[in-house]
Amino acid sequence: MNQRLAAIEAKRTRLLERAARERADVAQTLRLWEQPLGFVDSCIEAVRFVIARPPLVAGAALVLALLRPRSAIKWAQRAFALWQGYRWLKQKAVV
C-alpha cells in the first residue's frame, strides 16, 4: 500500500510541475498578445462610444458634407457598402 501511495505522490508531483510549466508558457504567450489585444479593445470601445452617440456621427457627417461635398459622397458610398456587408454577414450568421 505504501508503494502505491508513493507512486501516486510521485505522479502528483510530476503533474504539478508540468502544470506550472504550462502555466508559464501560457503566460508568456499572453504577454506577446497583450499589446495587440489592448489596441483591439480600444478600437471596440471607440466604436461603442460612437454608436452610442448618433447625433455626434450626424454632426460629423454634416460638417464633412459642408466642407468637402465630393469627399462626403465617397464616404457615404463606403459607409453604405459597409452597412450592406454587415447586413449580409448578420443574415448568414443567423441562418
Side-chain angles (χ1 to χ4, degrees):
M1 189 71 165
N2 287 337
Q3 287 180 338
R4 184 170 179 238
L5 289 176
I8 291 172
E9 184 64 31
K11 184 175 182 177
R12 179 180 182 272
T13 304
R14 285 192 310 270
L15 288 173
L16 288 173
E17 290 171 356
R18 179 179 168 192
R21 281 193 311 270
E22 288 178 1
R23 275 194 302 274
D25 290 344
V26 168
Q28 182 180 6
T29 302
L30 289 177
R31 267 187 245 117
L32 295 173
W33 283 95
E34 185 175 3
Q35 187 176 5
L37 290 177
F39 175 72
V40 169
D41 192 36
S42 298
C43 291
I44 291 171
E45 188 176 327
V47 167
R48 286 183 181 156
F49 176 84
V50 171
I51 289 173
R53 291 158 180 82
L56 178 68
V57 175
L62 180 64
V63 168
L64 179 65
L66 292 175
L67 293 178
R68 296 181 178 238
R70 287 187 184 180
S71 179
I73 292 171
K74 287 181 185 177
W75 278 103
Q77 289 172 340
R78 291 176 186 155
F80 184 69
L82 282 173
W83 178 67
Q84 284 182 325
Y86 167 75
R87 286 185 60 207
W88 181 80
L89 285 172
K90 188 175 177 182
Q91 181 185 22
K92 293 294 182 186
V94 171
V95 173

